[in-house]
Amino acid sequence: MPLPICNSRLRLSQGQVFWREVGRGGVSLVFLHGAWDEGSQWQGVIAALQPHYHCLALDLLGFGESERLKGSVSVQHQVEALEEWLDALRLGRVYLIGEGLGGWIATAFAIQHPERVDGLVLLAPEGIAIAGAAQRWRWARWLTGTVPFVRWGLRAIAPVAARCGWKAPHRLMQQVKIWRRSPIGCRLL
């Protein structure tokens, strides 16, 4: 019989974190979400793996139900919070599974604390030098920035573009909505 997913919170020095936990297996799998999501993105995966593994899906600081961060935010802040969280839960060695920003954090953690990581699974990790990635994020910064000129321009041309069958402005506006729901993700990337 499947176990229910347990939701938990813990106050760390940098703020309160929230996570989902299930399973009783000896091997601990820690799931780290991408910049535009939260730990719930892993619910289907951890439900399927729970008969064999101890699964934990963390909402990184500033995301989901974890505390919002004020001031400067960096991948290093997330790495330090992850270390403190693992210490508080008395989890020694773990497998880290990270998507996007979570992959970047998992990699940074593994480099800084190799004695704590049994393995890494990285899905489209950010923070890796890939040709064209800097250009992509330059546009994202323009689209999500505090000065909304580009967003105003997109909204202005959207009706004309729709009548002409050009769907790119509408798709881009939808992507901007997703990005802007995650201000910490925008600041980190």
Side-chain angles (χ1 to χ4, degrees):
M1 181 166 111
L3 299 170
I5 294 176
C6 177
N7 296 326
S8 301
R9 296 179 192 283
L10 178 66
R11 168 85 35 210
L12 302 176
S13 61
Q14 295 185 44
Q16 183 174 284
V17 292
F18 175 86
W19 73 96
R20 295 142 190 90
E21 185 173 359
V22 69
R24 296 197 179 132
V27 175
S28 294
L29 308 177
V30 175
F31 293 84
L32 304 173
H33 60 81
W36 320 119
D37 221 323
E38 59 186 39
S40 66
Q41 86 175 67
W42 300 107
Q43 279 189 256
V45 175
I46 66 175
L49 293 174
Q50 65 101 7
H52 309 288
Y53 301 98
H54 176 216
C55 301
L56 304 102
L58 178 66
D59 282 358
L60 296 166
L61 281 171
F63 295 87
E65 294 192 43
S66 287
E67 190 169 338
R68 299 285 180 251
L69 297 172
K70 295 170 180 71
S72 67
V73 177
S74 69
V75 168
Q76 185 58 36
H77 286 116
Q78 298 288 357
V79 168
E80 291 166 5
L82 176 60
E83 178 185 22
E84 187 178 348
W85 178 68
L86 291 172
D87 288 346
L89 296 180
R90 294 189 173 108
L91 292 173
R93 296 182 62 83
V94 298
Y95 286 85
L96 296 174
I97 298 96
E99 183 266 326
L101 174 64
W104 188 356
I105 293 164
T107 302
F109 184 87
I111 289 168
Q112 293 174 35
H113 305 285
E115 73 286 353
R116 307 272 317 255
V117 179
D118 277 331
L120 288 173
V121 177
L122 306 175
L123 306 165
E126 292 290 350
I128 296 173
I130 298 172
Q135 183 67 25
R136 179 182 69 165
W137 289 118
R138 187 173 306 126
W139 275 106
R141 279 193 297 278
W142 273 84
L143 290 166
T144 59
T146 56
V147 180
F149 295 125
V150 176
R151 292 191 306 276
W152 291 343
L154 279 173
R155 273 191 230 118
I157 66 169
V160 174
R163 278 190 228 115
C164 296
W166 188 36
K167 297 178 181 179
H170 177 71
R171 282 195 299 263
L172 199 49
M173 287 170 42
Q174 294 302 319
Q175 184 61 51
V176 169
K177 283 182 185 177
I178 292 168
W179 287 338
R180 290 192 49 89
R181 280 194 305 241
S182 182
I184 298 296
C186 289
R187 287 187 359 214
L188 284 169
L189 297 173

